[in-house]
């Protein structure tokens, strides 16, 4: 019984304490009171989860959904009223600029033009006759004016000659006006008769045809274009970007996109324009506001087609060969704009380090100062054994 009591007050040996320290994962330097123990926390026996600081490229992007559309196209329409005689190309056909694509039978008939020409001849004859009468009326009025000056004619004769001259001149002006009107009609008729052919306005591919033989058409009629030709060697991407992201975009930045039709392939272009008005159907009645952003992409093989869906990434900023650290290790920024991380040094000690961060994404951050490539950064909080204070008295003392 006395032996048991004595054993309960017996000092614990150093070797027994070492076994205890290893069983609870406490660092040896913190569990013993040997004079050689360093003041910093050794973590040899504590299992640590670390991340190595490495170099790499980092991009800050803005994601958006868009559609492909034609960049350059033109419509082939008639210049005169008439009836479509022939349509020479169909959708998908290639056509060269200036090539005949449609023929029109003008509504102006040849007999109508002949009638107008005959009327013009008659009016010119009337004008010649009327001009002769006007000249005679001017002579009569001139003679009556001289006689009146000599009191050799009556007032009635003088007024009658003056009225006759005015009337002759008015009839001459009326005939001249009719001639001018008919000249304009004849000019239009002759111009219309020459526009029986519709030519391709540019080189490209026919992408729409809304004309058929026998169809009656008019100049400037509303509705779909009779024929649309597009240059498919270059396409435009129209992407819808949320208002929270659009302010970070600027002209000339790189835009990469993929489309479901070609899995794994990526196309690139340069941002051309951010339209300064909200996209149709957005920003109303509590809806989020989006803006249309445009850029072009080369399409030499004509693989991309109008209407294809695009998944776009605009590269807002990028860093090449930068020191990278997972962004979730940063925590909260202090008043000086620095972040604190825990570094496990070569002696397996945990050291607090202040770092300055540059470019940052949701996954990674660019380290500007405070860390070097290859250093180990602790993931999560510092383990509890590393936070325990050094014992105040020697363990072996009773």
């Amino acid at each position: 019984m006395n032996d048991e009591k004595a054993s309960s007050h017996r000092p614990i040996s150093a070797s027994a304490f070492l076994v205890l320290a290893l069983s609870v994962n406490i660092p040896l330097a913190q569990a013993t009171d040997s004079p050689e123990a360093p003041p910093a926390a050794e973590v040899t026996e504590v299992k640590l989860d670390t991340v190595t600081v490495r170099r790499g490229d980092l991009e800050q992007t803005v994601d958006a959904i868009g559609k492909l559309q034609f960049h350059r196209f033109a419509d082939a329409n008639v210049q005169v009223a008439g009836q479509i005689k022939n349509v020479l190309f169909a959708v998908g056909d290639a056509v060269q600029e200036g090539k005949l694509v449609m023929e029109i039978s003008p509504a102006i008939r040849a007999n109508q033009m002949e009638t107008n020409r005959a009327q013009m001849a008659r009016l010119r004859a009337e004008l010649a006759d009327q001009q002769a009468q006007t000249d005679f009326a001017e002579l009569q009025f001139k003679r009556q004016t001289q006689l009146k000056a000599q009191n050799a004619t009556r007032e009635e004769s003088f007024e009658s000659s003056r009225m006759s001259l005015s009337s002759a001149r008015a009839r001459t002006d009326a005939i001249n006006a009719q001639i001018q009107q008919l000249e304009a009609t004849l000019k239009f008729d002759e111009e219309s008769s020459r526009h029986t052919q519709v030519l391709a306005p540019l080189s490209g591919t026919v992408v729409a045809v809304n004309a058929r033989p026998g169809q009656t058409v008019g100049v400037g009629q509303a509705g779909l274009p009779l024929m649309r030709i597009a240059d498919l060697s270059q396409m435009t991407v129209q992407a819808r970007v949320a208002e929270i992201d659009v302010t970070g975009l600027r002209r000339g930045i790189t835009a990469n996109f993929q489309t479901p039709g070609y899995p794994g392939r990526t196309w690139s272009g340069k941002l051309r324009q951010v339209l300064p008005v909200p996209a149709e159907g957005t920003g109303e009645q509590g809806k989020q506001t989006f803006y249309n952003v445009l850029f072009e992409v080369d399409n030499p093989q004509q693989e991309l087609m109008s209407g294809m869906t695009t998944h776009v990434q605009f590269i807002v900023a990028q860093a090449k060969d930068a020191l990278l650290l997972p962004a979730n290790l940063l925590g909260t920024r202090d008043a000086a704009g620095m972040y604190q991380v825990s570094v496990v040094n070569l002696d397996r000690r945990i050291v607090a380090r202040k770092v300055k961060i540059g470019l940052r994404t949701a996954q990674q951050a660019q380290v500007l100062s405070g860390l070097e490539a290859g250093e180990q950064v602790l993931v999560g909080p510092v383990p509890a054994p590393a936070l325990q204070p050094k014992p105040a008295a020697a363990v072996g003392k009773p």
Side-chain angles (χ1 to χ4, degrees), residues 75-353:
D75 296 334
N77 286 315
V78 297
Q79 300 182 39
V80 295
Q83 190 176 57
I84 296 176
K85 183 179 179 182
N86 196 10
V87 180
L88 304 178
F89 290 88
V91 173
D93 292 344
V95 63
Q96 295 296 318
E97 181 178 357
K99 188 76 174 180
L100 176 67
V101 295
M102 279 185 292
E103 292 181 301
I104 305 295
S105 296
I108 304 299
R109 302 297 180 183
N111 56 354
Q112 181 178 348
M113 295 180 62
E114 290 300 324
T115 300
N116 290 336
R117 291 193 183 97
Q119 184 178 359
M120 176 62 73
R122 179 179 59 81
L123 287 174
R124 292 191 183 282
E126 289 182 4
L127 178 62
D129 178 66
Q130 185 59 45
Q131 189 63 52
Q133 295 183 30
T134 302
D135 293 342
F136 178 74
E138 286 180 349
L139 291 174
Q140 289 289 90
F141 179 69
K142 184 177 181 180
R143 183 169 179 276
Q144 287 294 325
T145 300
Q146 293 173 349
L147 292 174
K148 182 179 181 182
Q150 300 172 1
N151 284 328
T153 185
R154 295 181 300 175
E155 186 67 24
E156 292 83 354
S157 299
F158 173 79
E159 290 296 331
S160 177
S161 64
R162 185 176 64 82
M163 291 180 63
S164 296
L165 177 60
S166 297
S167 178
R169 287 174 175 173
R171 285 195 297 273
T172 301
D173 292 341
I175 295 173
N176 276 323
Q178 294 181 44
I179 290 174
Q180 291 177 1
Q181 183 179 5
L182 193 56
E183 283 178 344
T185 301
L186 282 171
K187 184 177 180 180
F188 177 79
D189 292 348
E190 292 172 357
E191 193 73 19
S192 298
S193 65
R194 289 195 294 267
H195 287 97
T196 60
Q197 298 181 336
V198 178
L199 307 180
L202 58 78
S203 298
T205 303
V206 178
V207 295
V209 175
N210 300 292
R212 64 184 187 278
Q215 178 181 349
T216 301
V217 293
V219 180
Q221 74 179 41
L224 298 174
L226 295 178
M227 181 178 290
R228 175 163 290 178
I229 301 171
D231 180 4
L232 302 183
S233 63
Q234 193 176 48
M235 302 292 287
T236 292
V237 177
Q238 178 177 290
R240 287 159 58 102
V241 179
E243 61 177 315
I244 193 173
D245 296 323
V246 76
T247 54
L249 303 183
R250 62 187 183 278
R251 184 175 181 180
I253 66 173
T254 300
N256 300 321
F257 74 91
Q258 295 181 333
T259 181
Y262 297 98
R265 292 192 59 181
T266 300
W267 284 265
S268 297
K270 298 292 184 181
L271 191 150
R272 170 169 59 89
Q273 185 181 17
V274 178
L275 299 184
V277 294
E280 185 178 355
T282 70
E284 300 175 356
Q285 297 180 352
K287 295 181 180 178
Q288 186 177 4
T289 303
F290 288 83
Y291 291 85
N292 287 323
V293 181
L294 306 177
F295 66 92
E296 277 67 56
V297 57
D298 291 335
N299 187 33
Q301 304 301 322
Q302 300 185 8
E303 299 169 299
L304 299 173
M305 293 177 284
S306 176
M308 282 185 168
T309 302
T310 58
H311 301 275
V312 186
Q313 276 195 336
F314 295 97
I315 302 177
V316 178
Q318 57 184 342
K320 299 291 186 180
D321 194 32
L323 287 175
L324 301 181
L325 189 68
N328 58 359
L329 302 185
L330 295 178
T332 304
R333 185 172 58 178
D334 62 19
M338 306 290 283
Y339 294 87
Q340 179 171 305
V341 296
S342 298
V343 179
V344 180
N345 63 18
L346 296 177
D347 297 330
R348 300 299 292 166
R349 301 175 186 273
I350 299 176
V351 180
R353 193 81 61 80

Side-chain angles (χ1 to χ4, degrees), residues 8 13 61 72 110 157 168 186 213 264 267 298 354-355 359 386:
S8 63
S13 67
T61 61
R72 182 169 177 258
S157 299
L186 282 171
W267 284 265
D298 291 335
K354 293 284 187 179
V355 297
L359 188 62

